[in-house]
Amino acid sequence: MTEPTHDEPHGGALGSRLNWLRAAVLGANDGIVSTAGLVVGVAGATDSRQALLTAGLAGLLAGSMSMAAGEYVSVSTQRDAERAALAEERRELRDQPEAELRELAGLLERRGLSGEVARDAARQLTERDALRAHAAVELGIDPDRLTNPWHAAGASFLAFTVGALLPLLAIVLPPAALRLWVTVLSVLAALVLTGFSSARLGAAPPGRAVARNVAGGALAMAVTYAAGALLGAAGA
């Protein structure tokens, strides 16, 4: 009888995938809320489809580029810190191999291994790949899978753009009499989905997350619409 196979990801691979999915959901959510607030605010001042399209596209491009640039800078800083930590670990392994071996054994022992087993495991891991062992146990880093700032920037750009397209299309495609309600309802429905998805990815109860997400989006649209209506009434 053959043993069953398990193809699902484990450990760091699963955690990394969940982090990417959560970042994508949150990026799309940002695109929905910020673009919806912008186009609804403009809709409060004018019913010109050209003005709405111009404002929506400008918000989409500015927001997606801002998200991408911010993510690139953030992840580049993280990558630099990881590289510096690995370089320091290499130096310590070269200059103080015995001290590093005792440190690794101590770390394994604190994770629940007995002293003898921890020392034996530390020796075996050091003989196989000392840097990788210390990077994983001491630093929580995989030297072959450092964070990639370009991937993070691209993912943020794409996620924000996808999210922003919903309110943009909802505000410019319907007839003038329906566009505001179509946009509001579409945005609120999308926020229910992103709130639920982010909660499930974080293993949290979805009810509160959905309520917070919808309330925040509704408040943003209400405030920007009121501001636009006031500016429109004032002739600004």
Side-chain angles (χ1 to χ4, degrees):
M1 182 181 294
T2 59
E3 293 293 328
T5 58
H6 298 279
D7 296 327
E8 69 272 18
H10 295 278
L14 178 59
S16 176
R17 182 173 299 180
L18 288 177
N19 285 336
W20 277 104
L21 288 172
R22 190 178 298 113
V25 169
L26 295 177
N29 193 79
D30 287 343
I32 293 169
V33 174
S34 60
T35 306
L38 177 61
V39 296
V40 167
V42 175
T46 178
D47 60 358
S48 167
R49 179 177 274 110
Q50 182 177 359
L52 292 169
L53 179 61
T54 300
L57 283 175
L60 184 155
L61 291 173
S64 59
M65 292 301 296
S66 175
M67 287 284 291
E71 195 69 12
Y72 179 83
V73 170
S74 174
V75 175
S76 293
T77 301
Q78 179 182 346
R79 187 181 180 93
D80 291 343
E82 290 173 344
R83 285 175 167 170
L86 289 172
E88 176 64 16
E89 201 61 42
R90 287 191 189 94
R91 186 191 64 77
E92 292 176 351
L93 286 168
R94 183 190 67 232
D95 298 341
Q96 309 169 53
E98 291 302 320
E100 288 297 297
L101 179 60
R102 290 193 299 272
E103 181 183 31
L104 181 59
L107 290 170
L108 292 172
E109 189 172 353
R110 284 198 291 274
R111 292 192 175 191
L113 298 180
S114 67
E116 183 178 352
V117 172
R119 287 189 293 273
D120 185 53
R123 281 193 296 271
Q124 292 187 41
L125 289 171
T126 298
E127 290 170 0
R128 179 176 299 178
D129 191 328
L131 178 62
R132 184 178 299 279
H134 279 267
V137 177
E138 183 179 348
L139 304 175
I141 297 174
D142 183 345
D144 295 330
R145 300 182 65 180
L146 298 182
T147 51
N148 189 312
W150 288 108
H151 290 172
S156 293
F157 180 92
L158 182 61
F160 188 97
T161 300
V162 169
L165 281 173
L166 172 68
L168 176 58
L169 295 177
I171 202 73
V172 299
L173 293 181
L178 298 176
R179 63 172 55 126
L180 183 61
W181 289 109
V182 169
T183 301
V184 170
L185 293 176
S186 299
V187 166
L188 293 181
L191 292 177
V192 169
L193 179 60
T194 56
F196 180 84
S197 299
S198 62
R200 297 298 295 173
L201 289 171
R208 290 185 178 180
V210 169
R212 286 194 300 264
N213 214 33
V214 171
L219 179 62
M221 289 187 288
V223 169
T224 55
Y225 181 81
L230 288 173
L231 290 172

